[in-house]
Amino acid sequence: MGKRAQAVIVSYNIDNMEVCASAARISTTKGDAVEIFEKSKGNEKNRQLVQRVLQSGHRSVIEHAVFTIALKDVSAFAEQFFIECRLASFTVKSRRYVDFGSSGYYIPEELEGEALKLYCRYMDGLFSAYNLLLENDIPKEDARFLLPYSFHSNFYCTLNARELASVIHNIRCGRGKGIPELQDLADQIAVQVEKLFPCIRFDEACGTVDSSEGVLKVDDEVSFIGQQEIGAVELLNGPSDPVRILKLAYSMKHPSGAERVSGEAVHPSGSDGALEMEGLLRSVRPRELEQLSYSFLISNVTLSGITHIVRHRMQSIIIPSIEGIAHSRVIVPETIEKNPDMLKVYKDVLKASNQLLGEMCKNDKLRRYGYYCALSGNVMDVMTTMNARELEHFMKLRTCNRAQWEIRKIAVEMLKGLRGSFPELFDHFGPSCFMLGVCPEGRMTCGRLEEMNVKFKNLDC
């Protein structure tokens, strides 16, 4: 059988109970913050106090307890579930640079007999083809489109106790209910947290909660989607008068009318009242940009591409459940399209896998685990809303030549829409080298600074 997925708390802040108890006391207790903390050390009433405050609904006090969890050999499906948590920090082993050919894959414990054989045939066939692509010089970032979402992932997750409690609740009582792997991970984490931070428990009653089981959606034929069809972008919404919003925000933040940047005064507008965007972007804290929000529909994004998008924490993103993905719709990247031998390998294994999925649909046990059969190259549509400050950061990273080609294409298409909507601001957006005049990548630079400047000055919108 496969390895057991593990969640191990490898680090947590010392005196977390004392810190949380101090936070509970500071609003109603005399003395400064340091004095209150010192008096909280070793106080036998700390746990009782924190629990009482939690019962009254004030859960922010436990945000001062922080945990780092190492997730070992969990499925990519479980990884996706965790990294959709907005109030947590993640570092994931990259599928662009690391060979996952021998990583292994998650096998549900209940599978046995013919169901187990069929499941492993499906997974082994995909891994074998993945390894063959790598042996024939197909880049890892393109070969990975064959990896099923059962493959083992390893990553770190750091979050506070309030968000951790929310994750556990979401697994046990929300969209993770009915998924054995997630239930097991939640149980492992809960046992450890209750020892390290016993003022919270995870045994709340969930009541009746709707939970969807994996549903295999299989067509008779595989639909191969070309690279040029991936990542279509539509700008759905933006502010109607962004200039006025920026001017109002700037005047509220800087009533004196200027901000000093590198020793020089930066004004929001020139003598004619026009907003000087370059000066605003040079600001140390361009909070004004956060007042401008833009919503996008991004169509035909691969599951691999979605992982690049969700790493940006400051956004509101809607991602359909992997449990309902269309398994028969798969990307064919250009590196494989241009290699006739590898194209045959790629298409043959996907057709064979699709036939196996048809057989798996007839098995009740396998049908419920359809989400593990999703491929990294399957596609779906997503929606996201970002403010202009996050978009500045997003564009610096994702329009760079070092970005993976799919997310780079998406970012460029987003930027084209933004420039068409508000060119006064977004004409200044692009990769770091374009915005800063220098490349921050060091020895990893592409060495094409002048070319990139020309490209993004003349981006066709």
Side-chain angles (χ1 to χ4, degrees):
M1 296 297 290
K3 303 175 185 176
R4 183 191 183 192
Q6 294 184 46
V8 179
I9 296 177
V10 294
S11 179
Y12 58 95
N13 59 324
I14 60 173
D15 299 327
N16 54 22
M17 186 71 74
E18 285 80 358
V19 174
C20 293
S22 300
R25 292 187 175 99
I26 198 166
S27 298
T28 57
T29 303
K30 292 182 179 181
D32 60 45
V34 175
E35 290 173 341
I36 293 172
F37 175 71
E38 292 298 329
K39 290 179 180 179
S40 295
K41 286 186 175 180
N43 191 325
E44 296 179 354
K45 297 181 179 179
N46 284 341
R47 177 177 173 180
Q48 181 181 359
L49 171 63
V50 173
Q51 289 177 324
R52 186 167 67 248
V53 171
L54 290 176
Q55 289 171 357
S56 68
H58 300 289
R59 303 184 64 80
S60 62
V61 294
I62 61 172
E63 293 175 17
H64 299 286
V66 180
F67 304 89
T68 295
I69 306 171
L71 289 113
K72 175 184 176 184
D73 293 332
V74 304
S75 70
F77 173 76
E79 174 203 294
Q80 181 70 31
F81 183 96
F82 274 87
I83 66 175
E84 287 183 27
C85 300
R86 312 315 302 156
L87 300 180
S89 299
F90 300 91
T91 303
V92 181
K93 188 183 292 292
S94 172
R95 272 85 89 175
R96 291 186 70 194
Y97 303 114
V98 177
D99 181 348
F100 275 75
S102 59
S103 67
Y105 52 85
Y106 180 82
I107 301 176
E109 290 187 2
E110 71 166 308
L111 294 186
E112 58 185 9
E114 190 60 32
L116 177 60
K117 291 179 181 178
L118 195 55
Y119 181 89
C120 291
R121 274 180 61 197
Y122 178 85
M123 302 303 172
D124 290 341
L126 291 164
F127 271 89
S128 177
Y130 168 85
N131 286 324
L132 187 57
L133 293 179
L134 295 186
E135 291 170 6
N136 285 271
D137 299 322
I138 298 298
K140 296 182 184 71
E141 67 178 10
D142 290 344
R144 66 175 174 164
F145 290 128
L146 284 182
L147 290 174
Y149 254 46
S150 62
F151 76 84
H152 284 150
S153 176
N154 285 263
F155 62 97
Y156 298 108
C157 170
T158 299
L159 68 177
N160 64 52
R162 183 178 185 177
E163 182 67 6
L164 181 54
S166 176
V167 171
I168 298 299
H169 179 81
N170 203 13
I171 290 175
R172 290 181 170 175
C173 306
R175 62 192 180 92
K177 189 174 182 181
I179 299 175
E181 180 189 10
L182 291 175
Q183 297 298 316
D184 183 32
L185 291 171
D187 291 345
Q188 293 180 45
I189 294 169
V191 168
Q192 296 171 75
V193 172
E194 287 174 357
K195 291 180 180 178
L196 299 172
F197 191 59
C199 64
I200 58 173
R201 297 188 61 82
F202 302 100
D203 54 0
E204 73 275 25
C206 295
T208 302
V209 179
D210 291 333
S211 62
S212 60
E213 291 187 348
V215 178
L216 283 168
K217 294 184 177 180
V218 185
D219 296 327
D220 292 336
E221 300 292 335
V222 180
S223 297
F224 295 107
I225 302 170
Q227 183 169 317
Q228 69 279 3
E229 301 175 66
I230 294 296
V233 175
E234 179 184 353
L235 177 59
L236 298 174
N237 189 43
S240 59
D241 194 350
V243 173
R244 182 169 183 265
I245 292 173
L246 287 180
K247 285 186 175 181
L248 284 172
Y250 195 98
S251 64
M252 290 179 182
K253 183 181 173 188
H254 308 286
S256 62
E259 177 184 4
R260 302 196 71 81
V261 178
S262 301
E264 297 182 1
V266 176
H267 293 267
S269 60
S271 58
D272 61 353
L275 203 64
E276 290 186 351
M277 297 300 178
E278 290 188 34
L280 180 61
L281 292 172
R282 290 201 306 272
S283 171
V284 177
R285 295 181 72 212
R287 298 294 302 273
E288 299 87 344
L289 298 180
E290 297 174 21
Q291 309 309 309
L292 306 180
S293 293
Y294 294 85
S295 298
F296 303 87
L297 170 64
I298 310 173
S299 304
N300 283 344
V301 192
T302 68
L303 292 186
S304 290
I306 288 173
T307 64
H308 292 283
I309 298 174
V310 297
R311 290 173 191 172
H312 293 265
R313 318 313 299 164
M314 302 303 294
Q315 64 174 316
S316 297
I317 187 166
I318 296 178
I319 303 173
S321 172
I322 294 176
E323 295 163 289
I325 199 166
H327 292 77
S328 302
R329 300 185 68 231
V330 193
I331 183 181
V332 181
E334 287 183 357
T335 55
I336 294 175
E337 188 81 50
K338 294 177 180 179
N339 186 323
D341 292 337
M342 292 303 100
L343 179 60
K344 185 178 187 306
V345 169
Y346 191 81
K347 287 189 172 182
D348 284 351
V349 73
L350 288 173
K351 291 175 182 177
S353 298
N354 198 60
Q355 290 181 348
L356 284 173
L357 283 175
E359 296 181 41
M360 295 166 76
C361 285
K362 303 172 185 177
N363 186 294
D364 290 339
K365 286 186 177 180
L366 288 175
R367 192 163 54 245
R368 67 173 299 211
Y369 293 115
Y371 40 83
Y372 290 127
C373 300
L375 302 179
S376 300
N378 286 145
V379 298
M380 60 171 56
D381 300 346
V382 301
M383 288 179 61
T384 186
T385 299
M386 299 185 194
N387 66 50
R389 188 176 183 186
E390 179 62 18
L391 283 166
E392 178 191 12
H393 175 66
F394 183 87
M395 296 303 166
K396 283 180 177 178
L397 296 179
R398 302 307 184 181
T399 60
C400 172
N401 274 336
R402 282 187 42 73
Q404 188 267 346
W405 66 260
E406 181 181 5
I407 190 63
R408 184 171 65 246
K409 178 184 178 184
I410 290 170
V412 170
E413 291 303 311
M414 290 170 65
L415 182 55
K416 288 179 180 179
L418 292 167
R419 287 190 175 185
S421 171
F422 187 19
E424 296 92 333
L425 174 63
F426 293 109
D427 278 356
H428 300 283
F429 280 35
S432 294
C433 61
F434 175 77
M435 296 193 68
L436 305 176
V438 294
C439 177
E441 293 289 340
R443 64 183 182 86
M444 302 297 289
T445 181
C446 71
R448 297 159 58 188
L449 189 148
E450 292 185 8
E451 178 186 335
M452 295 294 282
N453 279 333
V454 172
K455 174 181 177 178
F456 282 92
K457 281 180 181 178
N458 302 286
L459 195 64
D460 182 12
C461 298

